[in-house]
Amino acid sequence: MLKSLLFNEIRNSLKLLVIQKQITRSDIMKLLIVRHGDPDYDIDSLTEKGWKEAGYLAERLEKLDVKEFYVSPLGRAKDTASCTLKKVGRTAIEKEWLREFAPRINRPDRADKKTISWDWLPQDWMNQENFFHADQWWKSPVFLEAGVKQEYDWVIENFDNLLQEHGYVREGKYYSAEKANNDTLVFFCHFGLECVLLSHLLNISPMVLWHQCCAAPTAVTTVVTEERRKGIASFRMLSFGDISHLYANQESPAFAARFCEAYENSEERHD
């Protein structure tokens, strides 16, 4: 009986070692794009729930071998990052372009008030074909008036410059792997900005991502390189908006960035 218990204990310990190795190994370059925790927008920080989420996120990220951490200059992203950085004894490089996507527009149904560039009503954007195309989405008069494409280009130019520093140079729709590597980079930022980065890496319209995907607070999106032919790389998304660290701690995700599932749900936001 004692021998059997000892065997089971050793076997379980070995399983844990294997799982830990799978979590921490890096076979390809990884970009982890992390949304901030549940926000308190009034003070640009986190709610009590948001701080709890950031703590669970830190327990997840501390297991990784991270080459570099990057963070938005906004408080809610910096506070989210602080939990991980404190746990691993590291600092993050602040990048202005990682702030939430900034342009304000006159949305068709809210022409009297400036709003963020996304969160359009479906009937106002889905009947415009250009919004579904990576090379045409920005041609809407509303976006042209607000300089949305200029802001988008500024963000992705800085993003590509950073990737070039890490060995990957943009060549049209793909990347030249000039110094291919196994680095892991972590970006603490915002949902709208995350969709801009992903739209560039995946060559799709950000309008589709802004409106038909949702990354809950502290969600982790993982994008990796693939170099099937020497020197030519592309990025593939392995997971979007992963919140397994919350489920592992029996923490339900916050509702931030979402809208009511049914119109009659008065407790959920409509706009």
Side-chain angles (χ1 to χ4, degrees), residues 87-154:
K87 189 173 276 288
V88 299
R90 298 276 297 276
T91 58
I93 299 173
E94 187 175 312
K95 295 291 187 181
E96 180 69 20
W97 52 271
L98 282 175
R99 70 192 186 192
E100 183 57 291
F101 196 60
R104 311 288 288 185
I105 66 168
N106 292 111
R107 207 174 70 185
D109 68 309
R110 302 283 295 277
D112 61 329
K113 181 181 179 181
K114 294 286 186 181
T115 64
I116 57 177
S117 303
W118 57 100
D119 287 349
W120 291 47
L121 296 177
Q123 62 268 33
D124 290 330
W125 78 272
M126 286 187 165
N127 63 358
Q128 298 187 44
E129 183 64 26
N130 61 291
F131 280 140
F132 291 89
H133 298 280
D135 59 350
Q136 297 181 33
W137 65 269
W138 51 271
K139 294 182 179 180
S140 163
V142 172
F143 281 169
L144 290 172
E145 180 184 0
V148 172
K149 182 60 159 54
Q150 289 89 330
E151 179 84 4
Y152 180 93
D153 288 344
W154 173 70

Side-chain angles (χ1 to χ4, degrees), residues 30-34 57 61 64 66-71 84 92-93 98 184-189 220:
K30 296 184 181 69
L31 309 180
L32 302 187
I33 305 174
V34 183
L57 172 68
L61 296 182
L64 304 179
V66 177
K67 175 72 172 180
E68 201 68 76
F69 293 94
Y70 297 96
V71 66
T84 296
I93 299 173
L98 282 175
T184 294
L185 310 179
V186 177
F187 300 85
F188 292 97
C189 53
V220 179

Side-chain angles (χ1 to χ4, degrees), residues 184-247:
T184 294
L185 310 179
V186 177
F187 300 85
F188 292 97
C189 53
H190 311 265
F191 171 65
L193 189 282
E194 172 180 359
C195 291
V196 168
L197 301 184
L198 290 174
S199 75
H200 183 56
L201 292 175
L202 306 179
N203 298 300
I204 57 180
S205 166
M207 283 293 282
V208 176
L209 294 170
W210 281 333
H211 294 90
Q212 299 190 291
C213 297
C214 186
T218 70
V220 179
T221 294
T222 301
V223 185
V224 302
T225 54
E226 288 188 347
E227 189 183 354
R228 299 177 64 184
R229 295 295 183 269
K230 182 67 175 176
I232 300 176
S234 62
F235 284 89
R236 173 168 285 191
M237 186 163 61
L238 295 188
S239 63
F240 177 87
D242 178 25
I243 50 173
S244 56
H245 53 283
L246 300 183
Y247 292 130

